[in-house]
Amino acid sequence: MIETVTTTPYTDQKMGTAGLRKKTAIAMQPHYIENFLQSIFNTIPSLETKSFLVGGDGRYFNNIAIQKIIKIAAANKVKKLYIAQNGLVSTPAGSCIILKNKLDGGLILTASHNPGGKNGDFGLKYSTSTGGQCQPHESQAILEQTLKITEYKISNATDFDLSQIGIFHCEETEIEIIDPYTDYIETMRNIFDFNKLHALLTSNFRFVFDAMNGVTGPYGKKIFEEILGAPEGSVLNATPKEDFGGLHPDPNLIYAKSLVDLMYSDNAPDFAAANDGDGDRNMILGSHFFVSPSDSFAILTDNYKIIPAYKDGIYGVAKSAATSMAVKRVADKLKIGFYEVPTGWKYFINLMDSKRITFCGEESFGTGATHIREKDGIWAILFWLSIIATTNKSVKQIALDHWQKYGRSYYLRNDYEGIAQEIADKLMSDLENRLPELTNKRFGNFTVSSAHPFIYNDPVDNSSTKNGLIVHFTDGSRIVYRLSGTGTNGATLRVYIERYVTDKLLEESNEILQELSKVSQEISHVCTLTGKQQPDIIT
Ligand code: VG1
Ligand code: CO
């Protein structure tokens, strides 16, 4: 039986950088997720011919939301849903499944690196047949639906068992519970030399992977331990938990602290990596060494020939504007295309689909390639392990060699969190107005060479997007300012700071960037406007 339920709009269902992200309590309000799902379906023509993947990172409310998706999709006469077994699929594996099975899209329940649980965050990433998240014009159409919705349709079927692989029906809709690992693992096998990786992980090389109680635990167990032979126990925090065991599943120096402590201890393994809650982010550590994501992306690009899938050449690379310029120097050397896009993986999709690029990266611990249309944490780890297996060098040596060849972009991101939205908006608009006056101005040892909003003109669909403000200095240093689009608590100002150096290669980023950090505060007036004397988080 299908019911039509009368509802009224929620006015806060605008998607951000990566889907809809809300406090769990907000997402659990009556009709909230129902409204949003119906609004998505309202924008998709001919649902009776469409198939979607459904799954999530296992956070609190994951499986309740999946039951709602099944019933609302069935009431809207969707042809077929592929549901990840037990409701668990990583964001990269989801993209892989959509592409391999030529599905029309997917609904991935995740708030990514945000904490989970009743008091944490919940979210939904809506992907289309590209395998990646919907484009801005599509999220705009969905937003418009959310603002005028009056009813949604839902089947009154009882809940379904998501634990057994198999096929059943809800109303006319076919529901298939699928294994969420096989397609993804096969894709990894086709990219990397698994024999070489097996030899490395069964040697005396010491490897750990911290899944942070997120969805990549089972993927890590299967790939690193069962297939590649790493000793049992190499995967830490391997069981997906509704609240990530109280962890903040964000793989960085602050939230993956226990892993970082291990890697800086006397007993440090040779290599460690961590993923975020939904498995699209990665952090790479060597013994007593941290690889910044911008450097990691540049290093992977420089070593593309090592990987079987890329040995015949790569098209080009793209990075978000906020990411350091390190990869640009590699692209120039390799004479391959280089693109700069706004923050958010969706902006890479057209470049990948039009064969302009093969790799993409973001400073926020995201790297990936054209095998899917999301960033991919495990892919990055397998790539790093392949470089180590081929060169026999330590992580630190690989990074050092890279800096010796190209110079080093010291890089830090300063986040000012929990700012009142009006204040954050004012900070950005006042700063934008002041940008023209900044040119040629001197701040300590730094002189501004130009300052402008970052505007991206997509070469494929000709859309234009403004995202953030950039200040360039005469020595090549840069400061980028933008507001986060994934937070759920007021506004977060992100300030990205970078300085290029060719002589001092082994300094502390904090030291090298200390003066520029001060300059970034002076330029933005962030301290006076927010009352904060320093950033809340430095990564
Ligand atoms: C952040 C990162 C961005 C990333 C996005 C989604 O967005 O800065 O690079 O693409 O999260 O990542 P924002 O708008 O808060 O800066 V995930 O792993 O949260 O899907
Ligand atoms: Co993520």
Side-chain angles (χ1 to χ4, degrees):
M1 271 269 297
I2 292 168
E3 291 173 33
T4 300
V5 179
T6 304
T7 188
T8 49
Y10 283 97
T11 55
D12 63 347
Q13 297 192 323
K14 186 175 165 49
M15 287 188 242
T17 312
L20 184 72
R21 227 165 264 197
K22 294 288 163 192
K23 289 260 163 254
T24 309
I26 292 192
M28 289 177 71
Q29 292 172 99
H31 312 303
Y32 193 90
I33 208 81
E34 291 85 346
N35 275 14
F36 190 66
L37 292 166
Q38 184 66 56
S39 297
I40 292 176
F41 288 134
N42 286 348
T43 66
I44 307 173
S46 312
L47 283 169
E48 67 287 352
T49 65
K50 302 281 157 78
S51 302
F52 301 97
L53 171 74
V54 182
D57 65 11
R59 67 181 61 223
Y60 187 80
F61 197 51
N62 191 72
N63 285 12
I64 299 174
I66 291 177
Q67 299 290 348
K68 290 182 194 284
I69 293 173
I70 295 175
K71 292 170 200 175
I72 292 172
N76 281 277
K77 304 203 180 323
V78 166
K79 178 173 177 221
K80 178 162 181 177
L81 294 180
Y82 293 77
I83 314 274
Q85 188 178 24
N86 296 316
L88 294 174
V89 69
S90 75
T91 292
S95 177
C96 176
I97 292 167
I98 294 170
L99 289 173
K100 271 207 161 179
N101 300 285
K102 299 193 168 56
L103 307 188
D104 298 290
L107 298 160
I108 310 291
L109 302 164
T110 175
S112 199
H113 60 290
N114 298 23
K118 257 188 201 156
N119 300 315
D121 291 345
F122 189 76
L124 193 156
K125 293 178 176 176
Y126 166 53
S127 298
T128 64
S129 60
T130 65
Q133 289 170 56
C134 64
Q135 292 298 304
H137 70 273
E138 291 160 323
S139 43
Q140 180 59 31
I142 293 166
L143 174 66
E144 283 161 21
Q145 290 295 322
T146 68
L147 294 174
K148 63 179 189 204
I149 190 165
T150 56
E151 59 180 44
Y152 62 85
K153 294 197 184 69
I154 188 162
S155 161
N156 67 0
T158 48
D159 281 359
F160 299 92
D161 176 7
L162 308 180
S163 69
Q164 300 305 320
I165 305 264
I167 297 183
F168 52 87
H169 284 82
C170 179
E171 311 297 341
E172 306 284 288
T173 300
E174 187 172 303
I175 313 288
E176 181 170 352
I177 309 284
I178 59 161
D179 148 28
Y181 307 107
T182 307
D183 282 341
Y184 180 75
I185 292 171
E186 190 185 308
T187 299
M188 293 300 113
R189 261 186 214 281
N190 290 337
I191 296 173
F192 299 101
D193 180 344
F194 267 36
N195 291 331
K196 200 191 248 183
L197 294 171
H198 187 272
L200 178 72
L201 293 188
T202 52
S203 69
N204 57 5
F205 181 80
R206 288 177 61 213
F207 161 89
V208 284
F209 168 60
D210 188 345
M212 299 190 86
N213 297 320
V215 75
T216 42
Y219 291 85
K221 278 265 171 204
K222 283 182 203 297
I223 295 173
F224 300 122
E225 294 185 8
E226 290 168 30
I227 300 174
L228 297 177
E232 209 185 321
S234 302
V235 180
L236 312 174
N237 297 313
T239 309
K241 298 201 174 121
E242 284 195 333
D243 64 348
F244 304 105
L247 290 181
H248 186 149
D250 192 354
N252 62 31
L253 294 175
I254 294 159
Y255 296 122
K257 184 156 183 315
S258 59
L259 187 70
V260 174
D261 287 348
L262 172 69
M263 294 309 286
Y264 282 85
S265 72
D266 292 342
N267 188 31
D270 299 297
F271 181 96
N275 276 180
D276 70 337
D278 66 330
D280 54 356
R281 296 184 178 207
N282 74 91
M283 173 170 68
I284 303 292
L285 297 159
S287 173
H288 298 253
F289 196 79
F290 162 72
V291 187
S292 86
S294 294
D295 281 337
S296 173
F297 180 36
I299 290 167
L300 298 188
T301 302
D302 199 36
N303 284 289
Y304 76 86
K305 281 197 178 133
I306 283 177
I307 309 300
Y310 312 123
K311 66 176 190 318
D312 296 334
I314 51 175
Y315 291 117
V317 290
K319 70 171 191 73
S320 66
T323 302
S324 97
M325 298 303 282
V327 75
K328 163 109 174 27
R329 291 189 287 274
V330 179
D332 289 348
K333 168 109 193 309
L334 297 174
K335 299 194 168 54
I336 56 173
F338 168 78
Y339 297 83
E340 251 187 327
V341 305
T343 290
W345 212 258
K346 55 181 173 278
Y347 296 104
F348 294 126
I349 295 173
N350 283 340
L351 298 175
M352 289 195 255
D353 285 347
S354 61
K355 296 192 167 32
R356 284 172 163 83
I357 61 167
T358 304
F359 297 158
C360 4
E362 289 190 303
E363 54 63 47
S364 55
F365 297 82
T367 23
T370 44
H371 61 288
I372 55 169
R373 297 294 176 273
E374 294 279 3
K375 52 193 189 261
D376 189 341
I378 287 181
W379 173 88
I381 298 167
L382 293 171
F383 203 141
W384 263 97
L385 292 173
S386 304
I387 298 174
I388 293 168
T390 307
T391 61
N392 264 315
K393 291 182 196 162
S394 69
V395 172
K396 183 172 178 178
Q397 195 58 49
I398 291 167
L400 253 180
D401 288 355
H402 185 86
W403 295 332
Q404 251 142 20
K405 189 166 163 193
Y406 290 102
R408 176 172 178 188
S409 286
Y410 284 91
Y411 186 90
L412 281 181
R413 185 174 97 188
N414 291 344
D415 288 343
Y416 299 84
E417 297 184 333
I419 307 174
Q421 191 66 50
E422 312 79 68
I423 292 183
D425 290 340
K426 179 174 159 48
L427 185 152
M428 289 300 285
S429 66
D430 288 0
L431 178 56
E432 185 168 350
N433 292 334
R434 284 198 309 278
L435 288 179
E437 304 156 18
L438 291 178
T439 305
N440 297 327
K441 251 198 171 168
R442 218 189 140 87
F443 296 87
N445 290 309
F446 299 90
T447 304
V448 175
S449 57
S450 68
H452 54 83
F454 175 71
I455 293 168
Y456 177 62
N457 296 311
D458 186 302
V460 177
D461 67 16
N462 296 318
S463 63
S464 184
T465 308
K466 187 164 105 177
N467 189 269
L469 308 171
I470 306 191
V471 181
H472 295 275
F473 296 87
T474 49
D475 71 338
S477 296
R478 305 191 316 153
I479 301 175
V480 178
Y481 299 89
R482 57 178 286 283
L483 297 183
S484 158
T486 59
T488 58
N489 182 24
T492 295
L493 172 70
R494 300 205 197 283
V495 184
Y496 310 84
I497 301 169
E498 127 178 44
R499 186 176 155 204
Y500 177 55
V501 172
T502 50
D503 46 0
K504 293 181 276 182
L505 297 178
L506 271 177
E507 305 296 312
E508 287 299 317
S509 301
N510 279 322
E511 304 265 314
I512 293 281
L513 297 174
Q514 197 175 18
E515 189 184 350
L516 261 184
S517 288
K518 282 266 165 271
V519 170
S520 78
Q521 295 184 327
E522 197 180 331
I523 289 179
S524 64
H525 303 174
V526 62
C527 299
T528 31
L529 281 168
T530 65
K532 290 174 190 277
Q533 290 318 304
Q534 44 239 339
D536 297 283
I537 301 270
I538 303 177
T539 47

